[in-house]
Amino acid sequence: MSIIGITGKSGTGKSLLSKKLKSEDTFIIDIDKISRAFFIEHHDTIEQTIYYLQNRHNTLIENSQAFWDLLMATRKEEDSLSDPLWQGIESKTTELIRSNTSSNIVLDYALLPKTNLFSLCDYTVLLLPYNDSLRKQAVIRRDNLQDTKRLDRRDKFSIDYQRYKFNKIFINTYDEPSISSLAKSILEELELSTLEKDDSSQEK
């Protein structure tokens, strides 16, 4: 089994690349979807996270927007995510990985390099936009936004990807054929790597 980690800002093409990598023996894990489900189902963890943030920053969280802004600001400053909400999400994601028997697993998450899951990846991909205005247009269309205010707030908390090493850094020009070619090259590289490992083990 190989684990492929895909990361990058919102709108850089992570979901599209995941879809292109999908096959009968590939399992896609969209960590944003796990996060949303976990948030709805685990109110006790939300309360723990609020308490954690208020103590850490010595401040009072008065509404949901203040909660999210403080949570994302905290995650941006941390070297490794540690809030109770993330711990629950990471545990759920790890369970999915362990219980899956697919040949390949794809992890899709903007904050992936700041998680323990990043070290589990056999192959990592950073997606960057060829033009940031194209990226913002893609997000506006995808999320049906009226303007970029929500996206700009989200971007404010994005991480410094230059601090991390990736197997591949891809500049997305927002044409689907290039993403298809990228997916094909990733799978070919993984297959070659697997064959080389098999040959090496047989020699021993």
Side-chain angles (χ1 to χ4, degrees), residues 3 7 23 26-27 29 56 101 112 119 124 132 138 141 159 177:
I3 300 176
T7 193
S23 65
T26 300
F27 183 59
I29 300 178
R56 179 180 176 127
T101 57
L112 186 63
S119 63
T124 53
D132 204 54
R141 286 194 302 271
I159 66 177

Side-chain angles (χ1 to χ4, degrees), residues 5-78:
I6 304 173
T7 193
K9 281 185 176 182
S10 180
T12 50
K14 297 187 297 298
S15 295
L16 180 57
L17 177 56
S18 295
K19 289 176 184 176
K20 295 296 181 183
L21 288 166
K22 189 172 184 179
S23 65
E24 290 182 3
D25 60 352
T26 300
F27 183 59
I28 309 298
I29 300 178
D30 184 337
I31 299 175
D32 275 331
K33 289 182 179 178
I34 294 175
S35 301
R36 287 191 286 271
F38 197 91
F39 186 82
I40 293 169
E41 296 167 5
H42 296 79
H43 297 288
D44 57 332
T45 308
I46 304 304
E47 291 176 4
Q48 292 169 21
T49 306
I50 291 171
Y51 181 76
Y52 166 86
L53 293 171
Q54 289 183 152
N55 279 339
R56 179 180 176 127
H57 297 279
N58 193 26
T59 188
L60 183 65
I61 297 174
E62 298 180 338
N63 53 54
S64 60
Q65 189 58 64
F67 168 78
W68 282 113
D69 283 352
L70 193 58
L71 177 64
M72 295 310 295
T74 303
R75 288 179 173 182
K76 181 176 181 177
E77 71 184 32
E78 288 180 325

Side-chain angles (χ1 to χ4, degrees), residues 107-124:
L107 299 178
D108 170 351
Y109 193 44
L111 300 179
L112 186 63
K114 285 201 168 195
T115 74
N116 293 322
L117 300 170
F118 191 64
S119 63
L120 299 179
C121 296
D122 301 290
Y123 195 97
T124 53

Side-chain angles (χ1 to χ4, degrees), residues 134-145 174:
L134 289 176
R135 179 185 68 86
K136 289 184 176 183
Q137 289 169 20
V139 176
I140 288 171
R141 286 194 302 271
R142 184 193 69 196
D143 297 346
N144 294 316
L145 302 179
Y174 295 89

Side-chain angles (χ1 to χ4, degrees), residues 53-176:
L53 293 171
Q54 289 183 152
N55 279 339
R56 179 180 176 127
H57 297 279
N58 193 26
T59 188
L60 183 65
I61 297 174
E62 298 180 338
N63 53 54
S64 60
Q65 189 58 64
F67 168 78
W68 282 113
D69 283 352
L70 193 58
L71 177 64
M72 295 310 295
T74 303
R75 288 179 173 182
K76 181 176 181 177
E77 71 184 32
E78 288 180 325
D79 290 327
S80 180
L81 304 190
S82 61
D83 58 86
L85 180 59
W86 171 253
Q87 289 175 13
I89 293 164
E90 185 166 84
S91 177
K92 178 65 176 176
T93 306
T94 304
E95 285 177 21
L96 284 172
I97 293 172
R98 288 174 177 168
S99 64
N100 203 275
T101 57
S102 301
S103 295
N104 295 317
I105 291 177
V106 177
L107 299 178
D108 170 351
Y109 193 44
L111 300 179
L112 186 63
K114 285 201 168 195
T115 74
N116 293 322
L117 300 170
F118 191 64
S119 63
L120 299 179
C121 296
D122 301 290
Y123 195 97
T124 53
V125 184
L126 170 64
L127 295 174
L128 298 173
Y130 171 73
N131 182 300
D132 204 54
S133 64
L134 289 176
R135 179 185 68 86
K136 289 184 176 183
Q137 289 169 20
V139 176
I140 288 171
R141 286 194 302 271
R142 184 193 69 196
D143 297 346
N144 294 316
L145 302 179
Q146 298 301 314
D147 53 47
T148 63
K149 288 181 181 177
R150 182 179 165 191
L151 176 60
D152 291 339
R153 188 169 64 245
R154 200 184 305 166
D155 284 350
K156 184 173 70 172
F157 302 120
S158 64
I159 66 177
D160 181 9
Y161 293 104
Q162 293 182 355
R163 293 179 55 194
Y164 306 93
K165 291 183 178 180
F166 302 92
N167 294 97
K168 189 178 288 291
I169 298 176
F170 182 78
I171 308 298
N172 189 1
T173 56
Y174 295 89
D175 62 302
E176 198 165 325

